[in-house]
Amino acid sequence: MDSLLIPVLLGIVEGLTEFLPVSSTGHLIITGHLLGFTGEKANIFEVVIQLGAILSVVVLYRKRFLGLLRHDPERQFSGRRGMYLLFLTSLPASILGLLTHGLIKQYLFNTTTVAWALAFGAAALLAVEQCKPNTKYQGLDSITPALALGIGLFQCLALWPGFSRSGATIMGGMILGAGRKTAAEYSFIAAVPIMFAATGFDLLQGWSLFEVQDFIFLGIGFVVSFISAWLAVKSFILLLSRVTLRPFAVYRLLIAPLVLFFKV
């Protein structure tokens, strides 16, 4: 593979954008073309650095994940109930993703559809902030099975590359009555099971493309993505107490034309 600057830059981009409602896919398309790093290996590399970003959430919310191993009477989001909530959230997109995986790769993984997803997602975020849904749920322990399933249905929108998984779930949570911060934190945690499944599936299909000398390249991207995502998640949660999602929606509208510019 090429210069080790490539995994550093792509790791930073992936980590900073994976859990923000701005679409990591769109950013990786732009960055990959600027760096001249495209093709099948690039696609699988993106899967590897996604795992780094996922791991950062597991570490950041390790108490919550460890709490899923046994019931805590002081926390509703724990033990079997917590795992059941995550199962409900993961179920719709998992089923739809398995049924449509080939079609999504064939018809939706291109710069035109990603640009449209960025724009449509931006409009949806602006609409949600404008409508100001009533807040009924504050804190992870207030999540109900109905809310978890509802967020899971919204997560299906993320199967459209460029829409943003975090954007879909945060928006869905807010529409269904979750506070902005609660929707964001649940979005981060709920990302782990479905992203592990999706990235694992892609890795099994494309791992044979890599040679031994590529593992340093992959490792650098993984570590940089982990660190960047850690910083992004912590900063985003602090930011949500001060701002709405409108700046992220406007930003999406600005980068959508850039994605089209790098059309191949």
Side-chain angles (χ1 to χ4, degrees), residues 5-18 24 27-28 31 45 49 53 220-229 231-232:
L5 183 62
I6 291 176
V8 171
L9 293 175
L10 288 173
I12 291 172
V13 170
E14 164 62 25
L16 292 180
T17 60
E18 182 61 56
S24 60
H27 285 78
L28 289 172
T31 309
F45 172 77
I49 59 177
I220 291 172
F222 182 93
V223 171
V224 173
S225 176
F226 173 91
I227 296 170
S228 301
L231 295 172

Side-chain angles (χ1 to χ4, degrees), residues 40 44 201-210:
E40 289 187 63
I44 300 302
F201 184 77
D202 283 335
L203 278 177
L204 285 175
Q205 291 189 316
W207 195 251
S208 59
L209 293 171
F210 293 97

Side-chain angles (χ1 to χ4, degrees), residues 116-192:
W116 277 109
L118 279 164
F120 183 79
L125 289 173
L126 289 172
V128 171
E129 288 290 359
Q130 183 65 31
C131 293
K132 294 183 174 64
N134 293 327
T135 299
K136 296 184 290 184
Y137 308 98
Q138 290 285 13
L140 292 173
D141 294 315
S142 69
I143 303 289
T144 65
L147 177 59
L149 180 60
I151 292 173
L153 292 171
F154 274 95
Q155 188 167 229
C156 291
L157 289 169
L159 294 173
W160 181 4
F163 193 94
S164 169
R165 192 211 58 81
S166 60
T169 50
I170 293 172
M171 176 182 70
M174 289 176 64
I175 289 172
L176 297 173
R180 193 181 291 109
K181 181 179 177 182
T182 300
E185 289 195 312
Y186 187 69
S187 168
F188 301 151
I189 293 173
V192 171

